[in-house]
Amino acid sequence: MPKVEMLAMLLAGGKGSRLGVLTNNIAKPAVPFGAEYRLIDFPLSNCSNSGITTVGVLTQYKPLVLNRYIGSGSSWDLDRHTGGVTVLPPYVKEGGGHWYKGTADAIYQNIEFIDLYDPEYVLVLSGDHIYKMDYSKMLEFHKEKKAEVSIAVLEVPWEETHRFGIMNTNQEQKIIEFQEKPKEAKNNLASMGIYIFNWETLRKYLNEEAERNEDSAGDFGHNIIPAMMNDQLAFYAYTFKDYWKDVGTIESYWQAHMDLLGDQSKLDLQDRKWVIYSVNPNRPPQYISGKAEVENSIINKGAQIMGRVKNSVLFFGVKVGRDAVIEDSVILPNSSIASGSHIKNSIIGRNVTIEKNSQIGVDSDSDQIKITVVGDEELIPESSQIKSGTVVG
Amino acid sequence: MENSIYKKNGQSMKNVMGIINNALDESFLDKLTAHRSLASVPFGGRYRLIDFPLSNMVNSGITNVGLLLQSKYRSLMDHIGFGKAWDLDRKRNGLFILPPSHIYKADRAYKGDLQNFSSNIDYIERSDQEYLIIGSPNIVANIDYRDAFKFHLQNQNDITIIYKEVDVFRRDTSYILLNTDDHDRIIEMKVNPKDKYYTKISLQRYIIKKDLLLDIIDDCISMGQWDFVKNAIIGNLNKLKVYGYPFNSYASVINSINGYYKANLELLKPDVWQELFLKGGPIFTKPKDEAPSSYKSGANAKNILAANGCSIEGEVKSSILFRGVKIHPGAVIKNSIIMQKSIIGKNAKLENVILDKGVQITADKSLKGDINLPMIIAKNSIV
């Protein structure tokens, strides 16, 4: 088997319970994003664009849609003779098997898979972050620093440091301390959940953790990283300066969509030098009728717009009827909004039918936005009134 | 998931192969076919003309398709690739590119499209299927061939030609006209006649048994006849059972600049785009991974079809936008077709214009064609 310098392991098994109804039927990385994509398109496209062509995708919770979506990996140009994408659900070995207990356990259970490619380095990624990043630059940094572990970090506002894992670094970007969600942070560099490990080192720690503690949570943040820090391994922080968003909650998911809008959007999806690939649903061009008004919005193919759309993101196949108004909202694939309906500050799931003259989230207060969510496949009958902050489904 | 192959209880098409004949005159599209064949002329925002006949074949259940090529086929081959977008990258059957090998012969004068058939006769002979459906790329329609094939078998036709009955002929557009008896037997057929007596226009889809086609080709060539429609088909109207099969949904013949322009703008009528894109099987095309289109604040888009990757800041009305078109603030566009990656500068005005791919219109420019004679700006021009 040819040797691979760096292999990526993408953690895609999470339920994403904080996304509520949006992950009722699908794993979090399969959640639609940005009118065209699913969350997993971002790390997979980043891998493809960074020249990382061996990627293991660790799946566990409701993997069917995700598995079908990944397919042979050809959508991301990752259908390769050597490597490519491999979907890795938990499996039974000699002496039994069990579910992935945590992030590190998922890697531990796939040591054999990684060893097939005999890599120098392993890149660990999560499937629920929106960003464009060249991992090959991070690898260069890792090599230059002669690091054993590199963690990508992002400067966050000081008042938000309590929500993140904070890295305290010296002037050489060496990490000297790790604070998980600190009350009093000493630094404002937050971990992005992107790690490069020297594979030999990581394998040793994974094996030791498994031998030492059968009941280990098998988690990077709680078990593996602290153990490595204890042993004073060379940890370095690779600072990322571009847009990055964790879309783990309804609010951040909605906000990440709003970040795509504006004349200078925070994340340029139209950048042809760093294309975010997707499975490309085949749809006709979008139709904007003579009566429609569309402003500051992103619309995908197959959409039919007869009404008014403002500050919103509309996925493929969305229909907006005459005199319907969509404001500050995200409408997921194939949903239709009948004439006279008004939707504001909402996330509407897939294949939702909203009948005539319904009002959803319209009472929303502009000072304190409460997002309204309608789950997949719901039917909202004619003239419904759904208060802001409600979750339907 | 649409799976149109199984949705209708139609005739199995396992025994039918497809040929798309690209050895046609394409000069009528002027600058649009200066660098590309008719088959790869962009159409309808995100398609090329070939997507329609090719998708029709695939949606009808045909899995073996040969593309006869004649000239300027680089862009066509780039578009088609291995046929993956049409699910034709198969181990058995699939897509076959049939280049014009006769151009390498000593006697190089081109005689007609039967030469293209003849130089690829091995492919046709070797294929497993007993029947062929032969189409050309200049018809935009969403046709399910299974009903026509069923009719072909039940009526024991030698040749079946799909046609559409029209009441109005588009100006400057030439047609192949059919005259039939009451049972749709074709008794007369004329290619681009000046006077249009008949109302049935050929949609240039021919169903024929392979052995019969091979005999006809051999026959024609041995008599020095080289034209598929005029010699192989019209020349046999008296000898063979040649029947028409009606197609009643939307179809457009692209046989002139005006026809091309109007057929594009016609897509803005909801019943037309619905009939073409939503009622039948999906029209497949090469995916480009363009991001969704972005409408900025101040954008004013009305009555348009837009592909992905567009960025609209100005005003655009009654127009077709292909992938990756940028419209800067203050620009005003009406009744125009703007192809892939064209950029319209600030305050530029365009009316009745066709911009080929990659055209840049600089700020404050004003271009206007006539609604019956659109102005065409050649690929990659800077105006």
Side-chain angles (χ1 to χ4, degrees), chain A residues 8 46 65 91 97 125 137 140 188 192 224 268 307 330 335 364-365 378:
Chain A
N46 287 339
V65 171
Y91 62 97
L125 302 169
K137 288 192 177 147
E140 271 169 39
N188 67 338
M192 298 161 63
I224 301 297
D268 182 10
V330 181
S335 288
S364 182
D365 193 338
E378 294 292 330

Side-chain angles (χ1 to χ4, degrees), chain A residues 81-103:
Chain A
H81 277 179
T82 303
V85 175
T86 308
V87 175
L88 301 166
Y91 62 97
V92 176
K93 305 148 190 90
E94 313 84 31
H98 58 80
W99 297 112
Y100 295 148
K101 287 185 284 182
T103 49

Side-chain angles (χ1 to χ4, degrees), chain B residues 350-375:
Chain B
L350 302 179
E351 191 174 347
N352 307 328
V353 174
I354 299 174
L355 301 188
D356 203 329
K357 285 170 68 175
V359 170
Q360 287 182 49
I361 304 293
T362 52
D364 305 310
K365 277 277 157 5
S366 182
L367 299 178
K368 195 175 174 192
D370 186 83
I371 192 76
N372 289 314
L373 187 67
M375 180 188 284

Side-chain angles (χ1 to χ4, degrees), chain B residues 10-30:
Chain B
Q11 182 66 42
S12 164
M13 300 290 275
K14 266 199 300 209
N15 206 11
V16 184
M17 62 186 282
I19 295 267
I20 297 179
N21 179 5
N22 295 298
L24 301 172
D25 175 30
E26 52 204 17
S27 54
F28 57 86
L29 279 183
D30 191 25

Side-chain angles (χ1 to χ4, degrees), chain B residues 42-62:
Chain B
F43 188 87
R46 61 189 297 266
Y47 304 98
R48 306 282 185 141
L49 288 177
I50 186 100
D51 294 340
F52 295 90
L54 197 52
S55 300
N56 291 174
M57 284 180 177
V58 170
N59 289 332
S60 301
I62 293 173

